[in-house]
Amino acid sequence: MSGRPEDEDSDEKWQARTHILRENPLARPKPSGGDCLVIIYSRNTNQLGRRFMLDPSAPECSVGRGSDNAVVLDSDAVSRRHARFTRQGMEWAVSDNNSTNGTFVNDELVQSTVLRRGDHIKIGDTIFKFLAGSDVEAEFIQTIGTIMVTDGLTQAHNRRHLVEQIEKELLRARRHERPLALVMFDIDHFKNVNDSWGHLAGDYVLRELASVIRTRIRRDEVFARYGGEEFAILLPETELSGAVTLGEDLRGEVASHRFEFDGHIMPITMSVGVALAEPQMRTAEEFIKVTDEKLYEAKRGGRNRVAH
């Protein structure tokens, strides 16, 4: 069978961020309901899953770097009094306090807007999810489950989920003697993006690249953020030739895509490594290591290319 079937961080920090949250007391359901904000992405891994209740009787819930805020975010990307949440009738609204880096709702820069349940609010380098309604506790539990397998910034799967799926598919591939391919890619010179335009620009590039890639992912494939600026796609029942073709297509799409943040156009390319699972492979680490070596072969070869 050939072709594709139809059907910034260190490794330690990344693994900590995507670790199971059951041991985090902040992530455990609380006995009472109510509209709230849940942190689904933060560079501070201890904040993942933390919930902040919104009190309808309070004049506002302020968010910022200053210690006098109701929600304190200790980050240089956050202004001292960055934003505020206020009750408007039966609804909640978020307003920016003329912050340096702005407030975003579902990736759109806002000055003030009414929130809908499920909205994502980005303040500096932290992303909250707004939960509301009579089933907040069920939503909260579901959100924690999502955090356990999903990267909150890019909405791709996280490293932990990828490793679990590779283990599962390696076993299935051996049992049924089916091909299994892995594509890994890394943004070229990503440090230059952060150094030149800041970490918020880097976050934008990661989200935008994931959005471009996601349009090409099929139901039985696993797209994940492996760590920092490195991503992976697991391709069950796909021969090497099909995986290489996909890698070349994605490399070209990213190179031609317009990445623009805060008026700056950033040229973005990526290097791609592709490998096919071998019968003797028993662990995800073995498969990832071989594919990662191909990725760095592409980087050594001049970047913006595919190696296999």
Side-chain angles (χ1 to χ4, degrees), residues 13 34 84 168 190 192 195 197 211 221 224 233-234 294:
K13 287 183 179 179
R84 64 190 183 277
K168 172 184 171 183
F190 185 68
N192 291 347
D195 290 347
W197 296 291
S211 179
E221 299 167 350
I233 306 173
L234 181 64
K294 294 299 180 181

Side-chain angles (χ1 to χ4, degrees), residues 80-100:
R80 197 185 74 80
R81 289 186 68 84
H82 195 110
R84 64 190 183 277
F85 293 85
T86 55
R87 186 78 166 176
Q88 297 184 359
M90 299 299 292
E91 300 175 310
W92 284 97
V94 62
S95 302
D96 185 75
N97 289 335
N98 296 316
S99 65
T100 301

Side-chain angles (χ1 to χ4, degrees), residues 14 22 29 61 72 90-91 96 99 124 172 177 211 233 252 264:
W14 183 258
R22 292 192 185 97
C61 174
V72 178
M90 299 299 292
E91 300 175 310
D96 185 75
S99 65
R172 194 170 74 93
E177 298 184 346
S211 179
I233 306 173
H264 301 289

